[in-house]
Every structure is written in structure tokens, then in C-alpha cells.
Amino acid sequence: MHHLYMTNGTINPKLLRKKIIIYGCGNDGKKLFSQLKDLGVNIAYFCDSNDKLQGKKLYGVEILSREQLKNYQDYNLALAFHQYPQVLDKLPEKMEQNIFADYPYKHKGGRKCIICGQNDCTYDKAHFAPFLTERMFEGEEKETKLIHCLNCGLYYSDYRPTDQETGRLYDCYRDDRYVQQRKKYEPEYLNEEFSEENYCQERKESVIRFVGPYIDLKEIKTILDYGGDKGQYIPDEFSYSDKYVYDISGNQTVQGVTLLKNLDTAQRIKWDFILCMHLLEHLSEPLAAIENLVGLLDRNSYLYIELPMQDYMHQYSNVEINEHINFFRETTMNKIAEMFHLKILDIRTDDVGLIRVLYQKAKERVQK
């Protein structure tokens, strides 16, 4: 198997030496088709794992089934699908084509991990999404790489947005202007799902299902949603608790939730339960946020962290970075527990791709 792209991000010239079949009729296939057309290359065929597409056309190019590939051995096959191992499993036996796929080169980086501080990192090519370039960087192209820490498992963008850049992205988050800007580049983006009542309710119920076995909900008198937007995801079971949210978006909080404008106020309150959901993946300094969270914990309080588990990083050599600039693993969350002397009550990655972890402060060692 050959690299689809060179280390500088250009198409591998070896691909162009024969007629080309693009495997994949989705967004990746369309993107690769556009890149090759810009080079003046004529694409012979598309191919797709959905056999119902056989005989149809995309951009005027016929779509083959997987089995038909055996009849086109003198072609180069370009796997326009970043999870290429799944594609390889679906190809027919006795394939003789040269196969080109998008997979990492894994350069040794010498970078210092932003979480665990170790230098055992690799890096690969990455780029910021056009939406981010317009909204966060005001049209200025920012170069970045994707760093992978082999010690704690974290993937992250080498370029760290400034406070001003982050503020531009999240000011009036997901309002009409935000949606219009994003749909300009991502027509399929749907903001409605985040505001749907069923989505919000499921988010809240999933938290209770996870923490319920470990926490007496009736004992929770104060609850803080750290980076929680409007506080809309605080579970209904905490109706008799004093509820607060700390967030930079400037959005008005939902009824019954008090906005904390700075962390000085938070430090004067004894917290029973702290939520941090879908925040750390957005932050340029996630370690500082974790330190803040741990600093707010009391001996008997709980910290619940929820993160997306994006598992395609190790299979893609030019990751498009959008709002998420950090990509956590369970190994990262275990390392955090070790670093900050936290006890893990539960940790798991569920079937919808979320990492959930419930921490408490570990008992301090008795000095002899």
C-alpha cells in the first residue's frame, strides 16, 4: 500500500501514472475527485461499498461495485476514506492494483505533551477547517500539525489559539450568525439538534445513569457546570440544588441557573458536584482548566467529565481540525487521575463515542 499524499500534502505522483479508480463516493471521495480534476486528471471510475450504487454515476463517472474491481487490475486504486483498514477488509481477494491510502507518516516530533509533559510524541500533517479560518482567525491561514503523545494517548493541534481567537469563536455561540458562517462551508451542519428537547433530555439522563450508582443525589446541595453554556444540561434530578454555570459564551442561562462571571466567586463556594462536559476538547490550555476543576473539589465532592472519543486520528494523515483541538483517550484520563491524585470511581467509552469519567479526590497519604 502506498501513501495517497506526500509529506507536504500534495497528491503522490505515483498515483497519476495509471488510470485511477476512486474508492468512496462520500465527502472524502468528492474531495479527492476535485483535487485530481484540478490537476487535469481524468478519473476512470468510482467504486463504493454500497453495491446499490453500481452502474450509477457521480460527476458523470460510472460507479463500480467492489466485486467489479477484479476486472480492472491495471488501474491505481485510491482509497478516499480515512478509516482505510475498514475498506481493505471489504475489498475482494486477489487484488493486484496498486492501492493508495491516506495514512500517517508518524514523524517523531520532540514535542512536550500539553497534558502529561512528556516528550515522547509523534506528529503528522493537519489543517484548520475553513469555517474556523473565517470566524476564529479572521481569514488568516494558520499552519498546524497533529501531535500524538505516546505516553498519555492525547492527540492535539500544535497551533494553540489565543484567548482573543477563542473568544471570537465562542462569542454568542451557535447563534444565527454562527450557523450562517458554518453552513457556508459545511452545508450539512445542523444546529437544530443541539436545541431539540429530546437531545437535551437524553444528555441529562445519560449523566444520571452514569453517576447514579456512586452518588446520593439528595445530598447534592451545590452543583457547578464548568463551561456549561446556559446550564441547560444540568440534570433535572438536581432540582433542589443550587445550580451554577461558568462559561465565556455570554449566553443567558436557563431558569434556575446562576451565571458565575469569574472563578474567584466559584472558589468561595463549597461544591458537592462539578460537571465538565464537552469543554476540554475546545481549550488551548486544558491542563489549566483541569487544575481549576481539581482546585474546586472538596474531599467529599465529585467531578464528572464527559468528552467525545474521536478514534480516527491514527488513520488519517491530514486531519481537518474544527472546534475540537484536543482529542482525549481513556489513557489520558487515567494519566490525569495519576497526576492530580484523583480516584476514578468509573471510566468508560460508550457506544455513542463518549468518554465518561467520575473522579473524587484520593485520600492523602499519612506522613510518618
Side-chain angles (χ1 to χ4, degrees):
M1 190 167 63
H2 307 277
H3 279 97
L4 180 58
Y5 296 101
M6 305 296 286
T7 54
N8 63 2
T10 60
I11 294 291
N12 188 340
K14 293 180 180 179
L15 174 68
L16 311 180
R17 294 176 183 174
K18 293 184 178 181
K19 297 177 181 179
I20 298 169
I21 300 173
I22 295 177
Y23 190 110
C25 295
N27 289 333
D28 288 333
K30 294 174 182 176
K31 179 179 178 181
L32 180 58
F33 178 87
S34 177
Q35 290 175 320
L36 293 174
K37 289 296 286 184
D38 287 344
L39 294 174
V41 177
N42 289 320
I43 310 302
Y45 298 99
F46 277 99
C47 181
D48 199 88
S49 58
N50 182 358
D51 293 337
K52 294 181 179 179
L53 296 178
Q54 178 184 348
K56 295 184 179 180
K57 291 186 177 182
L58 178 62
Y59 300 133
V61 178
E62 183 181 349
I63 302 173
L64 305 176
S65 69
R66 290 171 293 179
E67 288 301 318
Q68 287 178 301
L69 287 175
K70 291 185 292 187
N71 302 325
Y72 298 87
Q73 301 285 13
D74 195 35
Y75 289 66
N76 282 336
L77 181 63
L79 304 184
F81 190 77
H82 58 257
Q83 296 188 17
Y84 64 91
Q86 298 178 22
V87 176
L88 291 177
D89 291 340
K90 296 176 180 178
L91 294 179
E93 295 182 1
K94 299 181 180 179
M95 289 285 295
E96 297 179 3
Q97 288 104 327
N98 286 324
I99 299 175
F100 292 78
D102 186 10
Y103 60 98
Y105 282 91
K106 292 188 179 297
H107 309 281
K108 293 294 282 186
R111 302 295 201 280
K112 187 174 182 180
C113 177
I114 61 173
I115 293 293
C116 71
Q118 297 298 308
N119 290 318
D120 192 11
C121 294
T122 64
Y123 72 89
D124 219 301
K125 189 175 177 62
H127 64 280
F128 286 110
F131 160 72
L132 225 62
T133 298
E134 176 179 319
R135 185 176 175 93
M136 178 182 272
F137 304 129
E138 296 185 317
E140 182 181 352
E141 296 285 346
K142 298 287 186 179
E143 293 186 358
T144 191
K145 295 181 178 69
L146 184 73
I147 311 299
H148 178 212
C149 176
L150 302 179
N151 181 55
C152 74
L154 181 76
Y155 289 81
Y156 62 94
S157 168
D158 188 37
Y159 181 85
R160 313 305 289 170
T162 65
D163 289 345
Q164 185 179 20
E165 290 166 342
T166 300
R168 285 198 290 264
L169 176 60
Y170 295 110
D171 182 42
C172 299
Y173 189 47
R174 291 184 179 144
D175 66 0
D176 290 343
R177 178 173 173 270
Y178 171 97
V179 173
Q180 289 173 4
Q181 279 185 309
R182 189 155 182 176
K183 283 194 171 185
K184 184 194 306 184
Y185 303 101
E186 304 169 38
E188 72 282 1
Y189 176 75
L190 294 176
N191 186 50
E192 292 80 4
E193 65 175 297
F194 299 106
S195 57
E196 287 180 358
E197 185 175 345
N198 290 342
Y199 170 81
C200 186
Q201 188 62 31
E202 173 55 30
R203 285 269 308 261
K204 293 188 288 187
E205 291 175 357
S206 67
V207 173
I208 295 300
R209 286 195 296 268
F210 186 84
V211 306
Y214 306 97
I215 295 177
D216 185 349
L217 303 181
K218 296 179 182 178
E219 295 297 319
I220 302 301
K221 305 301 180 185
T222 54
I223 182 169
L224 172 65
D225 193 351
Y226 188 99
D229 193 17
K230 307 172 186 177
Q232 69 270 37
Y233 299 120
I234 297 177
D236 299 335
E237 283 76 2
F238 298 110
S239 57
Y240 294 103
S241 305
D242 293 331
K243 297 180 285 294
Y244 298 83
V245 66
Y246 171 71
D247 196 85
I248 67 170
S249 67
N251 292 331
Q252 184 176 354
T253 60
V254 298
Q255 186 175 2
V257 177
T258 301
L259 175 65
L260 297 181
K261 296 183 178 180
N262 58 71
L263 286 178
D264 291 338
T265 305
Q267 292 168 353
R268 295 195 291 269
I269 299 175
K270 178 182 178 300
W271 301 106
D272 295 322
F273 187 42
I274 301 174
L275 296 162
C276 182
M277 300 187 290
H278 299 268
L279 173 70
L280 298 178
E281 66 269 25
H282 297 265
L283 301 181
S284 287
E285 297 183 7
L287 188 62
I290 294 167
E291 290 175 338
N292 287 336
L293 289 165
V294 173
L296 295 174
L297 286 177
D298 185 76
R299 172 67 60 209
N300 298 314
S301 56
Y302 302 88
L303 170 60
Y304 171 80
I305 295 180
E306 183 176 302
L307 299 154
M309 168 59 179
Q310 293 163 290
D311 63 354
Y312 57 82
M313 296 299 150
H314 65 291
Q315 297 175 346
Y316 201 25
S317 70
N318 191 1
V319 171
E320 182 170 274
I321 296 174
N322 209 306
E323 291 186 0
H324 298 172
I325 58 175
N326 311 307
F327 308 91
F328 291 80
R329 299 290 182 269
E330 283 192 23
T331 52
T332 322
M333 308 315 291
N334 279 295
K335 179 61 67 173
I336 288 169
E338 178 184 323
M339 292 168 58
F340 290 96
H341 307 291
L342 298 171
K343 177 183 178 181
I344 296 178
L345 299 180
D346 198 354
I347 182 171
R348 69 185 90 146
T349 301
D350 62 22
D351 56 5
V352 296
L354 294 180
I355 302 174
R356 304 175 190 272
V357 58
L358 184 63
Y359 293 117
Q360 260 192 320
K361 276 192 173 181
K363 292 183 179 179
E364 297 176 355
R365 296 178 179 176
V366 177
Q367 298 293 329
K368 295 183 178 180

